[in-house]
Amino acid sequence: MKFFVVLILLCYSSEVFSQTRQNRVLQSGESIALFNMIVVKFKADFFNTNSGNNSLLDKINGGLKQSVVRSLSQEFPQTSALRKGSGALNRIFNAELSGGIDPYQMAKQISSLPEVEWAEPKYLRKVCYNVNDEYYVAGKQQHLDVVKAKEAWEFSKGNNKVIIGIIDTGIDIDHPDLAANIFINENEVAGNQKDEDDNGNFTDDINGWDFGGERGIPDNDPREDYSIQGGYHGTHTAGIAAAVTDNSIGIASIGYNCAVLPVKASQGNYRDENDKPYIIYGFEGIKYAVDKGAKIISCSWGGYEYSKFEQEIIDYAVSNNVLVVAAAGNDNSQKPFYPASYNGVLSVGWTNNEDVKVNAANYGEYVDIYAPGTAIYSTWSTISGINPAYKTAGGSSMSAPLVAGLAGLVISKFTNITTQQLVERIRATCDQIEDKNLSNYKYLLGSGRINAHRAVSDEKIFSLRATNAVFGVVNSSVPNDDDTIRVELEFTNFLTPISNVKISLSCRDSFVRFINNQLEIGSLHELEKTKAQSIFFVLDNYAPTDTSIFILVKYEAAGYFDFQWLPVKINPSFVTLNNDKIEVSVTNKGGIGYSDLSHLRGVGFRTVNGNNFLSEGAQMIGTSADKLIDGVRINSISISSDLTAQKSISLRKNNLMSESFAYFNDNNSGTSRLGIQTRVHSYIFNTAPDNSYLLFEVTIKNITLLEIKNLYLGYFLDINLSDDGLSDSTSYDNTDKFAYVINKNSHNGIVGAALLTNQKDCYAGINNNWHVGEMILADGFQDEEKWYSISNGILKEKVFGNVSFTVGGGPVSVLPSGEETFAFVVAPASSKEELRQIIRQSRKKYITLDVMNEKIVPLEYKLYQNYPNPFNPSTTIQYSIPVVGTKSATTTHVTLKVYDVLGREIATLVDEDKSPGTYEVQFNTSNAEPKRTIPTGVYFYRLQTGDFIQTKKMILLK
């Protein structure tokens, strides 16, 4: 079970989609979605002030500038507020698209609308099983012996108050080996299917529900669709989890007396290439099961596309103390498979009865446990024509309900157990199976194969897990230096009290090197948490961008060994700066808003009300049309790849500001290469009057042996303020030299940008649907157009419609090893006059920046934590000296010294007068006095200036 929220970012390609013969399903690689449907979640502030589907529909089509959404229907109308998390689900809608519209691309466009939290295709999932007729042998249930079910029944036989929701293709509720265990809704009366309850839902769900129905119309019949040959998947999985046991007929089930809640999530006219029904409404079914009182939900289906909608439904189940168990998939893949890999789901892999991973079974860091799934004999539809109505089938589809049934036994025995304790009791009592499998599966087969007997009988079970992890970059300001990553870990002991646990961390990737990877936990009671503890690792500068790595955490104590995988997103392509008024993402290649055109990597530029006005913001640098490098769009789906990040973009925050550093070069630009390195230092300040804008400084360094002449630098900004996307205009204010976009509806405000340094201003207004100069932008943004827009002074001072603009400066010349600095501001405002004042204030603020030290003149004395820490052999110490009164030139005497734990002075780093500013100094233990060694240990560094004294601790690890 995953305890960490890991952001998985998706990039959709422009590949051709294949369609099923029903012409209703689109498939792109492993992604399968409905042809004419997307799922949309509106933002809370907007939704709470806009009622009615027609109003919401008009807003979407207006924002898209075309009527492509036919209708909107609320996914969960009038959800009861009595259950945790239900309020957020009210804002989710299904949007039906016009014919011929690509749902993947349309979801991206709708996601960019300011009223929308997210939008995505309506994904379909496949069932995870294969029928094996050759193993059809009545009564053969070896899998129950493998997991020691008979021994478990001595301690727990389940009870019919424990409900297991089977979200599947439907269930034969009249099957003689299932009927007595089928859920009965005591609040319903049969025959009322045409009535509606207070929440607008059809009643008569006396035995469950059918979300598929006849062509998608829900009804009260949860039975399987008998028109589908081989489609009796749900009846088979239900029998594995909780067929009636000890009734003298048919089979036994591990769940014994537990109740089965049938939820049909398929629809007969949507089938895959093998004629098996797709799971279309699986997550609607999960919510239904939660609301009907299920404590366990079994899902024997899935796919490889991540969905925000689906994760929200899982979060809803978890918040209501419901365990979701899901099949890990049957493709011999190590990739995440959903819903099994969602946070909060217990992922179950497939083994045979000899504890060997089946060749087709998925494996890896996302799989929690394994269970037998080969040749499982279970119930089959009584209408199938097979007599007796039982059949053998195999796959992780069969493994998942076996675990769900075991969960029913555990809950029946330990009635006060929490969901996380339930998971840990099942996981921690598994039998190890690594020695029965190939060595390359070490640590990739979860905690092993379930042992039902131990899960319900063992009293002394240890389970320590990392339940919170915060990762942060402790980044130096030198482009080619490696990044140090700080990881703050919090651990929870879920079961038996434990003490003296040694914890070690490692990673398989060669670009990850640990500074310290050992921790020790003293004593923890049941459900007790530790305080956060830090470890550090170095990320080499060749580490790939936007990559997920896995940290292996091992736990060892007397009689105890366990492990856990922590997924970590490293080397992000953006960071987000914010204060209480604005929020903006900046990228590792000097961009603003997003690092991709799909708007998945970044938050854009948002004001306090959550509205994003920036579609794209990116840099352009050049000396001519054929010597231009940039990170701007080429067309609607591609961004120029001229720029190459040299290290991770860093983010620092304090009580004064948020700031970031990005370093990149043009090594990847081919014949357009100029031979430069670029540093972008971005600021958002926390206090008025400087908390309304983004200020950033771009420093270009010439790394060639020749002078670079005629260099211009500009930013392309695509800003959207109007509801219809057509009523904006862009202009240039010659008085205060700033560009802006304004909407004729004044309540939508104004956004401006300006060059702050003294290069000659450049501006070009652009209508996105027409031209820059005499060239067409709608057919792609070419280098000639980009160069024209930044190198011709003030162009197109008034442009209307769907607009964007460029703002920049030049020309300048840069000598070999020389540098040129440009600075810019981007700001929203409520009026042009307010924007004018913000631009003027930003120019004043920029003058106070201490460019030599890359810091603003501080307002207080401060000693910062050294970085990296722990360190070896050197570390950076930063301190701030404020302006005294109004005299910025006033100096003060500063000493900065290092001491050991006994108070002995080790080094004097600073002993001189200093002007106001923020400074950095290196403490390098390899430069110690001759014949003197500074050993591993704890040291203190102390800043003293006048009456101000501050001391901090640092650690040297050799």
Side-chain angles (χ1 to χ4, degrees), residues 485 487 504-509 511-518 535-539 549-552 957:
I485 311 296
V487 187
S504 63
L505 297 91
S506 61
C507 183
R508 298 164 300 194
D509 296 293
F511 49 78
V512 175
R513 295 177 286 111
F514 280 88
I515 297 174
N516 68 311
N517 66 338
Q518 304 288 330
I535 61 101
F536 295 82
F537 63 84
V538 172
L539 185 65
I549 65 170
F550 289 91
I551 294 177
L552 178 62
L957 287 178

Side-chain angles (χ1 to χ4, degrees), residues 10-17 28-29 102 104-105 108 598 637:
L10 306 177
C11 294
Y12 297 110
S13 68
S14 58
E15 61 187 290
V16 177
F17 299 105
S28 174
D102 178 354
Y104 289 85
Q105 292 299 328
K108 294 178 188 178
S598 300
I637 60 173

Side-chain angles (χ1 to χ4, degrees), residues 574-586:
F574 70 94
V575 295
T576 298
L577 313 177
N578 56 31
N579 58 28
D580 60 357
K581 292 195 69 174
I582 56 175
E583 179 182 45
V584 58
S585 293
V586 291

